[in-house]
Short mmCIF file of all heavy atoms in Angstrom, two decimals:
data_model
loop_
_atom_site.label_atom_id
_atom_site.label_comp_id
_atom_site.label_asym_id
_atom_site.label_seq_id
_atom_site.Cartn_x
_atom_site.Cartn_y
_atom_site.Cartn_z
N SER U 1 1.25 -10.34 10.16
CA SER U 1 2.56 -10.27 10.76
C SER U 1 3.47 -9.20 10.16
O SER U 1 4.47 -8.79 10.74
CB SER U 1 3.24 -11.64 10.57
OG SER U 1 3.62 -11.85 9.23
N GLY U 2 3.06 -8.77 8.99
CA GLY U 2 3.90 -7.76 8.26
C GLY U 2 5.05 -8.35 7.53
O GLY U 2 5.77 -7.65 6.80
N GLY U 3 5.19 -9.68 7.57
CA GLY U 3 6.34 -10.32 7.03
C GLY U 3 6.19 -10.60 5.50
O GLY U 3 7.23 -10.91 4.86
N ARG U 4 4.96 -10.58 5.01
CA ARG U 4 4.78 -10.88 3.55
C ARG U 4 4.00 -9.71 2.94
O ARG U 4 3.04 -9.27 3.56
CB ARG U 4 4.06 -12.18 3.43
CG ARG U 4 4.83 -13.41 3.88
CD ARG U 4 4.17 -14.66 3.49
NE ARG U 4 4.15 -14.87 2.03
CZ ARG U 4 3.36 -15.63 1.35
NH1 ARG U 4 2.39 -16.30 1.98
NH2 ARG U 4 3.51 -15.79 0.05
N THR U 5 4.37 -9.31 1.81
CA THR U 5 3.73 -8.28 1.03
C THR U 5 3.62 -8.66 -0.37
O THR U 5 4.30 -9.51 -0.90
CB THR U 5 4.48 -6.92 1.15
OG1 THR U 5 5.80 -7.14 0.61
CG2 THR U 5 4.58 -6.41 2.55
N ALA U 6 2.68 -8.01 -1.05
CA ALA U 6 2.51 -8.17 -2.53
C ALA U 6 2.08 -6.88 -3.14
O ALA U 6 1.45 -6.03 -2.48
CB ALA U 6 1.35 -9.23 -2.75
N TYR U 7 2.48 -6.70 -4.44
CA TYR U 7 2.13 -5.43 -5.14
C TYR U 7 1.69 -5.75 -6.54
O TYR U 7 2.12 -6.70 -7.21
CB TYR U 7 3.45 -4.60 -5.20
CG TYR U 7 3.97 -4.17 -3.88
CD1 TYR U 7 4.89 -4.93 -3.20
CD2 TYR U 7 3.54 -2.99 -3.27
CE1 TYR U 7 5.40 -4.51 -1.97
CE2 TYR U 7 3.98 -2.58 -2.04
CZ TYR U 7 4.92 -3.34 -1.37
OH TYR U 7 5.38 -2.96 -0.16
N ALA U 8 0.86 -4.85 -7.00
CA ALA U 8 0.51 -4.86 -8.42
C ALA U 8 1.76 -4.49 -9.24
O ALA U 8 2.61 -3.70 -8.77
CB ALA U 8 -0.62 -3.89 -8.74
N ASP U 9 1.84 -5.02 -10.41
CA ASP U 9 3.01 -4.74 -11.27
C ASP U 9 3.14 -3.21 -11.51
O ASP U 9 4.27 -2.73 -11.65
CB ASP U 9 2.96 -5.48 -12.61
CG ASP U 9 3.18 -7.01 -12.40
OD1 ASP U 9 3.73 -7.42 -11.36
OD2 ASP U 9 2.85 -7.72 -13.35
N SER U 10 2.01 -2.53 -11.59
CA SER U 10 2.05 -1.14 -12.00
C SER U 10 2.62 -0.24 -10.90
O SER U 10 3.01 0.93 -11.17
CB SER U 10 0.65 -0.66 -12.35
OG SER U 10 -0.23 -0.84 -11.23
N VAL U 11 2.73 -0.74 -9.66
CA VAL U 11 3.20 0.08 -8.52
C VAL U 11 4.52 -0.52 -7.93
O VAL U 11 5.12 0.08 -7.09
CB VAL U 11 2.16 0.23 -7.47
CG1 VAL U 11 0.86 0.79 -8.07
CG2 VAL U 11 1.92 -1.02 -6.71
N LYS U 12 4.88 -1.70 -8.38
CA LYS U 12 6.08 -2.33 -7.80
C LYS U 12 7.32 -1.45 -7.94
O LYS U 12 7.55 -0.92 -9.06
CB LYS U 12 6.24 -3.68 -8.48
CG LYS U 12 7.07 -4.68 -7.65
CD LYS U 12 7.01 -6.06 -8.34
CE LYS U 12 5.61 -6.66 -8.25
NZ LYS U 12 5.59 -8.03 -8.83
N GLY U 13 8.01 -1.31 -6.84
CA GLY U 13 9.22 -0.51 -6.90
C GLY U 13 8.95 1.00 -6.57
O GLY U 13 9.89 1.75 -6.30
N ARG U 14 7.68 1.37 -6.60
CA ARG U 14 7.32 2.74 -6.29
C ARG U 14 6.51 2.84 -5.00
O ARG U 14 6.65 3.87 -4.29
CB ARG U 14 6.50 3.40 -7.42
CG ARG U 14 7.18 3.38 -8.77
CD ARG U 14 6.40 4.18 -9.84
NE ARG U 14 5.13 3.55 -10.06
CZ ARG U 14 3.94 4.23 -9.93
NH1 ARG U 14 3.95 5.48 -9.50
NH2 ARG U 14 2.78 3.62 -10.21
N PHE U 15 5.68 1.90 -4.70
CA PHE U 15 4.81 1.92 -3.54
C PHE U 15 5.32 0.93 -2.51
O PHE U 15 5.81 -0.10 -2.84
CB PHE U 15 3.37 1.56 -3.92
CG PHE U 15 2.63 2.58 -4.71
CD1 PHE U 15 3.23 3.63 -5.34
CD2 PHE U 15 1.26 2.45 -4.92
CE1 PHE U 15 2.54 4.56 -6.11
CE2 PHE U 15 0.52 3.35 -5.68
CZ PHE U 15 1.20 4.45 -6.25
N THR U 16 5.10 1.23 -1.26
CA THR U 16 5.44 0.39 -0.16
C THR U 16 4.31 0.33 0.88
O THR U 16 3.85 1.36 1.39
CB THR U 16 6.71 0.88 0.58
OG1 THR U 16 7.78 1.02 -0.36
CG2 THR U 16 7.13 -0.12 1.71
N ILE U 17 3.87 -0.85 1.12
CA ILE U 17 2.84 -1.09 2.15
C ILE U 17 3.52 -1.52 3.42
O ILE U 17 4.49 -2.21 3.46
CB ILE U 17 1.82 -2.17 1.70
CG1 ILE U 17 0.65 -2.26 2.66
CG2 ILE U 17 2.47 -3.54 1.52
CD1 ILE U 17 -0.52 -3.11 2.17
N SER U 18 2.96 -1.04 4.58
CA SER U 18 3.50 -1.35 5.85
C SER U 18 2.39 -1.27 6.86
O SER U 18 1.29 -0.86 6.55
CB SER U 18 4.68 -0.42 6.29
OG SER U 18 4.21 0.94 6.32
N ARG U 19 2.67 -1.67 8.07
CA ARG U 19 1.71 -1.60 9.12
C ARG U 19 2.35 -1.50 10.52
O ARG U 19 3.52 -1.87 10.67
CB ARG U 19 0.79 -2.84 9.15
CG ARG U 19 1.51 -4.12 9.47
CD ARG U 19 0.65 -5.36 9.25
NE ARG U 19 -0.50 -5.31 10.09
CZ ARG U 19 -1.65 -5.94 9.80
NH1 ARG U 19 -1.81 -6.68 8.67
NH2 ARG U 19 -2.70 -5.93 10.65
N ASP U 20 1.64 -0.84 11.43
CA ASP U 20 2.09 -0.78 12.80
C ASP U 20 0.95 -1.30 13.68
O ASP U 20 -0.03 -0.57 13.92
CB ASP U 20 2.42 0.70 13.18
CG ASP U 20 3.03 0.80 14.48
OD1 ASP U 20 2.75 -0.06 15.39
OD2 ASP U 20 3.76 1.77 14.75
N ASN U 21 1.09 -2.54 14.08
CA ASN U 21 -0.03 -3.18 14.88
C ASN U 21 -0.21 -2.51 16.15
O ASN U 21 -1.35 -2.53 16.70
CB ASN U 21 0.27 -4.64 15.04
CG ASN U 21 0.04 -5.43 13.74
OD1 ASN U 21 -0.54 -4.91 12.77
ND2 ASN U 21 0.61 -6.57 13.62
N ALA U 22 0.81 -1.90 16.70
CA ALA U 22 0.60 -1.19 18.02
C ALA U 22 -0.23 0.04 17.92
O ALA U 22 -0.95 0.49 18.87
CB ALA U 22 1.99 -0.80 18.62
N LEU U 23 -0.24 0.64 16.66
CA LEU U 23 -1.04 1.84 16.39
C LEU U 23 -2.30 1.52 15.65
O LEU U 23 -3.08 2.44 15.32
CB LEU U 23 -0.21 2.80 15.62
CG LEU U 23 1.04 3.42 16.31
CD1 LEU U 23 1.77 4.42 15.43
CD2 LEU U 23 0.66 4.10 17.63
N ASN U 24 -2.53 0.22 15.37
CA ASN U 24 -3.76 -0.16 14.59
C ASN U 24 -3.86 0.62 13.29
O ASN U 24 -4.88 1.03 12.85
CB ASN U 24 -5.02 0.06 15.42
CG ASN U 24 -5.31 -0.92 16.48
OD1 ASN U 24 -4.42 -1.85 16.68
ND2 ASN U 24 -6.45 -0.89 17.08
N THR U 25 -2.70 0.71 12.59
CA THR U 25 -2.66 1.50 11.38
C THR U 25 -1.87 0.79 10.26
O THR U 25 -0.83 0.23 10.57
CB THR U 25 -2.05 2.87 11.62
OG1 THR U 25 -2.79 3.55 12.62
CG2 THR U 25 -2.12 3.75 10.35
N ALA U 26 -2.42 0.83 9.06
CA ALA U 26 -1.64 0.38 7.88
C ALA U 26 -1.33 1.65 7.05
O ALA U 26 -2.01 2.67 7.09
CB ALA U 26 -2.52 -0.57 7.07
N TYR U 27 -0.30 1.48 6.22
CA TYR U 27 0.20 2.62 5.43
C TYR U 27 0.44 2.24 4.01
O TYR U 27 0.74 1.04 3.72
CB TYR U 27 1.50 3.17 6.03
CG TYR U 27 1.46 3.59 7.55
CD1 TYR U 27 1.81 2.68 8.47
CD2 TYR U 27 0.96 4.81 7.85
CE1 TYR U 27 1.77 3.05 9.85
CE2 TYR U 27 0.90 5.18 9.20
CZ TYR U 27 1.31 4.28 10.17
OH TYR U 27 1.18 4.67 11.47
N LEU U 28 0.39 3.19 3.18
CA LEU U 28 0.83 3.03 1.78
C LEU U 28 1.63 4.25 1.36
O LEU U 28 1.15 5.34 1.22
CB LEU U 28 -0.39 2.87 0.81
CG LEU U 28 -0.02 2.57 -0.61
CD1 LEU U 28 0.58 1.15 -0.72
CD2 LEU U 28 -1.23 2.67 -1.55
N LEU U 29 2.97 4.04 1.28
CA LEU U 29 3.85 5.07 0.82
C LEU U 29 3.95 5.02 -0.68
O LEU U 29 4.33 3.95 -1.19
CB LEU U 29 5.23 4.86 1.46
CG LEU U 29 6.30 5.88 1.03
CD1 LEU U 29 5.93 7.32 1.33
CD2 LEU U 29 7.65 5.48 1.60
N MET U 30 3.62 6.13 -1.34
CA MET U 30 3.58 6.21 -2.79
C MET U 30 4.67 7.18 -3.29
O MET U 30 4.56 8.33 -3.00
CB MET U 30 2.20 6.54 -3.25
CG MET U 30 1.09 5.68 -2.70
SD MET U 30 -0.55 6.09 -3.33
CE MET U 30 -0.73 7.72 -2.67
N ASN U 31 5.61 6.68 -4.01
CA ASN U 31 6.68 7.54 -4.59
C ASN U 31 6.54 7.56 -6.13
O ASN U 31 5.91 6.70 -6.74
CB ASN U 31 8.02 7.01 -4.20
CG ASN U 31 8.31 7.11 -2.74
OD1 ASN U 31 7.89 8.11 -2.06
ND2 ASN U 31 8.99 6.12 -2.14
N SER U 32 7.20 8.59 -6.73
CA SER U 32 7.24 8.68 -8.18
C SER U 32 5.83 8.58 -8.78
O SER U 32 5.59 7.85 -9.76
CB SER U 32 8.15 7.60 -8.76
OG SER U 32 9.42 7.70 -8.25
N LEU U 33 4.93 9.32 -8.26
CA LEU U 33 3.53 9.27 -8.67
C LEU U 33 3.39 9.81 -10.07
O LEU U 33 4.12 10.74 -10.48
CB LEU U 33 2.68 10.01 -7.72
CG LEU U 33 2.43 9.33 -6.39
CD1 LEU U 33 1.91 10.39 -5.34
CD2 LEU U 33 1.42 8.23 -6.53
N ASN U 34 2.48 9.24 -10.83
CA ASN U 34 2.18 9.71 -12.22
C ASN U 34 0.69 9.81 -12.34
O ASN U 34 -0.09 9.35 -11.47
CB ASN U 34 2.80 8.83 -13.24
CG ASN U 34 2.35 7.42 -13.11
OD1 ASN U 34 1.22 7.10 -13.26
ND2 ASN U 34 3.28 6.46 -12.91
N SER U 35 0.27 10.36 -13.44
CA SER U 35 -1.16 10.61 -13.66
C SER U 35 -2.01 9.32 -13.62
O SER U 35 -3.21 9.36 -13.28
CB SER U 35 -1.37 11.30 -14.99
OG SER U 35 -0.89 10.52 -16.05
N GLU U 36 -1.42 8.24 -13.93
CA GLU U 36 -2.19 6.93 -13.90
C GLU U 36 -2.42 6.46 -12.54
O GLU U 36 -3.21 5.52 -12.28
CB GLU U 36 -1.44 5.90 -14.73
CG GLU U 36 -1.36 6.22 -16.21
CD GLU U 36 -0.75 5.07 -17.01
OE1 GLU U 36 -0.26 4.10 -16.41
OE2 GLU U 36 -0.84 5.16 -18.25
N ASP U 37 -1.82 7.12 -11.53
CA ASP U 37 -2.09 6.69 -10.12
C ASP U 37 -3.27 7.55 -9.58
O ASP U 37 -3.65 7.26 -8.44
CB ASP U 37 -0.82 7.02 -9.30
CG ASP U 37 0.36 6.22 -9.65
OD1 ASP U 37 0.20 4.98 -9.90
OD2 ASP U 37 1.43 6.76 -9.73
N THR U 38 -3.83 8.45 -10.31
CA THR U 38 -4.99 9.18 -9.86
C THR U 38 -6.16 8.24 -9.71
O THR U 38 -6.58 7.57 -10.64
CB THR U 38 -5.33 10.27 -10.85
OG1 THR U 38 -4.28 11.24 -10.89
CG2 THR U 38 -6.67 10.98 -10.53
N ALA U 39 -6.73 8.27 -8.47
CA ALA U 39 -7.84 7.36 -8.17
C ALA U 39 -8.30 7.58 -6.76
O ALA U 39 -7.62 8.34 -5.98
CB ALA U 39 -7.36 5.87 -8.32
N VAL U 40 -9.39 6.95 -6.41
CA VAL U 40 -9.82 6.84 -4.96
C VAL U 40 -9.15 5.60 -4.48
O VAL U 40 -9.26 4.52 -5.01
CB VAL U 40 -11.33 6.79 -4.83
CG1 VAL U 40 -11.69 6.61 -3.38
CG2 VAL U 40 -11.97 8.05 -5.38
N TYR U 41 -8.42 5.75 -3.36
CA TYR U 41 -7.71 4.65 -2.74
C TYR U 41 -8.49 4.14 -1.53
O TYR U 41 -8.91 4.94 -0.66
CB TYR U 41 -6.29 5.06 -2.37
CG TYR U 41 -5.40 5.13 -3.49
CD1 TYR U 41 -5.50 6.16 -4.44
CD2 TYR U 41 -4.38 4.17 -3.72
CE1 TYR U 41 -4.68 6.23 -5.58
CE2 TYR U 41 -3.53 4.29 -4.83
CZ TYR U 41 -3.69 5.29 -5.70
OH TYR U 41 -2.87 5.37 -6.83
N TYR U 42 -8.68 2.78 -1.50
CA TYR U 42 -9.35 2.21 -0.41
C TYR U 42 -8.49 1.24 0.33
O TYR U 42 -7.74 0.49 -0.29
CB TYR U 42 -10.59 1.40 -0.94
CG TYR U 42 -11.58 2.17 -1.71
CD1 TYR U 42 -11.45 2.38 -3.05
CD2 TYR U 42 -12.69 2.76 -1.03
CE1 TYR U 42 -12.40 3.13 -3.78
CE2 TYR U 42 -13.66 3.49 -1.75
CZ TYR U 42 -13.50 3.64 -3.10
OH TYR U 42 -14.46 4.34 -3.80
N CYS U 43 -8.57 1.23 1.67
CA CYS U 43 -7.94 0.15 2.42
C CYS U 43 -9.02 -0.92 2.77
O CYS U 43 -10.19 -0.58 2.88
CB CYS U 43 -7.20 0.62 3.68
SG CYS U 43 -8.26 1.22 4.96
N ALA U 44 -8.60 -2.09 2.96
CA ALA U 44 -9.41 -3.22 3.28
C ALA U 44 -8.80 -4.18 4.20
O ALA U 44 -7.52 -4.32 4.21
CB ALA U 44 -9.84 -3.91 1.94
N GLY U 45 -9.56 -4.90 4.97
CA GLY U 45 -9.01 -5.84 5.93
C GLY U 45 -9.82 -7.08 6.06
O GLY U 45 -11.05 -7.10 5.77
N VAL U 46 -9.20 -8.14 6.44
CA VAL U 46 -9.89 -9.45 6.71
C VAL U 46 -9.10 -10.21 7.78
O VAL U 46 -7.93 -10.27 7.76
CB VAL U 46 -9.96 -10.27 5.40
CG1 VAL U 46 -8.65 -10.60 4.82
CG2 VAL U 46 -10.84 -11.52 5.62
N PRO U 47 -9.87 -10.75 8.74
CA PRO U 47 -9.16 -11.58 9.76
C PRO U 47 -8.61 -12.83 9.08
O PRO U 47 -9.23 -13.45 8.24
CB PRO U 47 -10.28 -11.86 10.75
CG PRO U 47 -11.56 -11.71 10.01
CD PRO U 47 -11.30 -10.70 8.98
N THR U 48 -7.44 -13.24 9.58
CA THR U 48 -6.88 -14.46 9.05
C THR U 48 -6.13 -15.18 10.15
O THR U 48 -5.51 -14.55 11.00
CB THR U 48 -5.97 -14.12 7.86
OG1 THR U 48 -5.35 -15.37 7.34
CG2 THR U 48 -4.87 -13.16 8.26
#
């Protein structure tokens, strides 16, 4: 529904997850990036 979100403590306040169901797309906006954010990022989904 997009109404509930959760974040790891390490990204809270810097990252924002969102989705647009009409476009079949999820997003992750990442601000104030630092070297510890370097990684391969994966999206995942599960029907609920």
